[in-house]
Amino acid sequence: MDRAETGRGTVEAIWRIESARLIAALARFTGDVGLAEDLAQDALVAALEQWPVTGVPPKPGGWLMTTAKNRAIDLFRRNGTHRRAVEALGRDTAAEPEYSFDDPVGDDELRLLFAACHPGLKREYRVALTLRCLAGLSTREIAGAFLVAESVVGQRISRAKKTLRHKGIRLDLPEAGDLRERLASVLEVIYLIFNEGYRATSGADWMRPELSNDALRLARRTAALMPEVAEAQGLQALLELTHARAPARHDRLGAPVLLPDQDRARWDRLLIRRGMDALHRAYRLGSAGPYALQAAIAGCHAMAPTAAATDWTRIAGLYDVLERVQPNPVVTLNRAMAHGHADGPFAGLAILAGLPDALDEYAQRHAVEGELLAMAGRHEDARAAYTRAAALTTNDAERVLFGQRSAGLV
Amino acid sequence: MRYLVVLEASQPDTPPPAELMAGIMQLGAEATQSGAMIDNAGLAPSADGAKVTLDGDAVTITDGPFAESKEMISYAIYDTRTKEEAVEWTRRFLALHAEHWPGWTGEARVLRVFGPADMPGA
């Protein structure tokens, strides 16, 4: 690796560590999230030009901040709003010139998170902006993670910033009345990002683990920013526990391995411990929210030494509660599977029978039905169900898996 | 990617300065809050430990302290996108020592922990 290459990696590493605080502080100074992101990007470009030559400054975060503030002052001067800029930016620069974002508890970052995940933005804009502003990902990295063109991501980010500006969405903490909706959006965005990595919805990959890792880091950050919010702890717990299974979710050739067949020795013990810690924090805060409930289910699997030792009765009970808290067909499918294990396949099939017809086009419905029918010994019907699941899925690896299940029942 | 950082240094004659410990706490909180640091702990002097050696077919157990001049002081586990990020957190950690504990020398090794992507055939 030559020196210029090393320099770029180092600059990007520092960017990843500093960008959220940098953008959050700049957004507070300028009152404009989009502008803050532009200023921070300008500072990054300056660092990429200068640091490989001059070396990394001793306080790189402070350097980026000063550079971005100077750009802001130049910009405001050109716009004839110089006085305002000096007032806004001078306040903090004077207090501690070296390196302080005046934000020891991450309050600005919390505001940034709420702004990036504002329900007034389209969902894909929220995702792109969160990965960019909070996780420090480049447009290229986001494009790679979602298998879309870089220009598409660039457009999403610039449109997101434009929307924030038009709607007058500034860096604010939501009013008590809006808090629930805003929190839900923050957690949902992180969950969406995780799921896109965990179960790639299309294409040849079964998983994109680096994207799930980005979401996991965001979930940890969010839980740290909102220590009193049970569902933030619940989401962290869910993602740690789910990601702990990632090493066992594919075999050595990359083919998917479903939960009952996974080699539990390959589960990540450190993530399981962290997940259980977060789950207990959620319990202490008194949550029976959807993320904590799903985490509790994941915890049951994590604690079972073998698939046969799984406490399906407890899991079925948790799904019963989850379905009441968050009724949706996917939960019902999982509930059917849990009751199939806890109370026999016919209990599961009875739950499936209550699903709406619209779900007939959903591959997972037929996969669950196939498994329950196989458990009931109705191999011919099970085979037909798996064949239908294979025909409906858009994930290549899943298609192979369902095909194998079907063939295995001959 | 996951990295194990092990700090090695001579056992100091005096306890670390309070400013250093405060700085380490602050940096650790930042790294934890960002989601990058997922585990860390200090290690007791090797006098509290033991060494188990295999030479040929003979297993020997020796109580600490070990003869090496340097001791392992602490470890941290980072979960980052790149090696450079784990190195940057570690650089900041050592820079705190330079700032608050003049004359202290030591080294931190940044080691990548193998994951599923490194399995043979993967």
Side-chain angles (χ1 to χ4, degrees), chain A residues 3 21 28 42 62 69 185 219 229 242 262 306 312 316 357:
Chain A
R3 200 179 139 72
R21 272 192 301 175
R28 178 158 53 85
D42 287 348
K69 278 183 176 177
S185 174
V229 177
T242 308
Q262 286 173 11
T306 62
W312 285 110
D357 293 344

Side-chain angles (χ1 to χ4, degrees), chain B residues 108-120:
Chain B
R109 294 185 204 189
V110 182
L111 303 162
R112 186 158 75 86
V113 178
F114 275 146
D118 306 296
M119 295 298 238

Side-chain angles (χ1 to χ4, degrees), chain A residues 388-402:
Chain A
R388 182 125 174 79
L392 287 170
T393 182
T394 51
N395 181 294
D396 297 346
E398 227 173 47
R399 185 175 308 115
V400 172
L401 182 78
F402 295 150

Side-chain angles (χ1 to χ4, degrees), chain A residues 179-180 183-188 190-191 219-220 222-224 226-239 278-279 281-296 322 325-326:
Chain A
L179 192 64
R180 184 177 290 271
L183 270 175
S185 174
V186 166
L187 300 178
E188 183 202 23
I190 296 168
Y191 190 58
R220 290 171 186 153
T222 307
M226 297 190 266
E228 302 306 318
V229 177
E231 276 293 82
Q233 312 303 317
L235 180 66
Q236 188 199 337
L238 175 61
L239 301 200
L279 181 59
R281 285 199 299 276
Y283 283 155
R284 278 200 296 278
L285 292 164
S287 168
Y291 294 118
L293 283 166
Q294 292 176 79
L322 182 59
V325 175
Q326 191 186 47

Side-chain angles (χ1 to χ4, degrees), chain A residues 250-285:
Chain A
H250 56 81
D251 65 17
R252 286 175 204 284
L253 298 171
V257 180
L258 297 184
L259 182 62
D261 306 318
Q262 286 173 11
D263 174 2
R264 287 167 193 236
R266 296 181 73 193
W267 287 0
D268 191 320
R269 308 313 301 180
L270 176 56
L271 293 190
I272 288 174
R273 174 166 71 67
R274 292 177 51 84
M276 295 308 284
D277 286 350
L279 181 59
H280 289 128
R281 285 199 299 276
Y283 283 155
R284 278 200 296 278
L285 292 164

Side-chain angles (χ1 to χ4, degrees), chain A residues 80-160:
Chain A
T81 47
H82 184 216
R83 181 190 297 272
R84 191 190 133 212
V86 172
E87 277 169 10
L89 299 170
R91 202 174 48 221
D92 292 78
T93 320
E96 196 169 344
E98 263 292 86
Y99 178 62
S100 168
F101 294 164
D102 194 18
D103 179 30
V105 293
D107 215 38
D108 280 350
E109 271 181 74
L110 192 56
R111 290 164 206 263
L112 179 64
L113 189 61
F114 279 121
C117 296
H118 197 285
L121 293 174
K122 276 188 178 175
R123 196 180 272 180
E124 66 261 35
Y125 293 5
R126 278 182 259 162
V127 166
L129 208 57
T130 301
L131 284 172
R132 170 78 153 239
C133 293
L134 274 307
L137 262 61
S138 66
T139 310
R140 175 176 48 80
E141 286 167 330
I142 299 170
F146 286 94
L147 308 177
V148 293
E150 211 175 320
S151 60
V152 171
V153 175
Q155 254 172 16
R156 282 179 191 170
I157 288 167
S158 67
R159 284 187 187 149

Side-chain angles (χ1 to χ4, degrees), chain A residues 377-388:
Chain A
R378 288 168 54 185
H379 287 186
E380 198 54 41
D381 296 336
R383 231 160 62 83
Y386 274 126
T387 305
R388 182 125 174 79

Side-chain angles (χ1 to χ4, degrees), chain A residues 293-348:
Chain A
L293 283 166
Q294 292 176 79
I297 292 164
C300 285
H301 289 301
M303 291 295 115
T306 62
T310 306
D311 186 351
W312 285 110
T313 305
R314 177 163 161 73
I315 292 174
L318 286 164
Y319 272 120
D320 292 346
V321 181
L322 182 59
E323 194 180 48
R324 279 199 296 277
V325 175
Q326 191 186 47
N328 76 54
V330 176
V331 172
T332 306
L333 278 181
N334 287 314
R335 188 174 150 252
M337 187 64 103
H339 277 281
H341 283 288
D343 311 314
F346 295 104

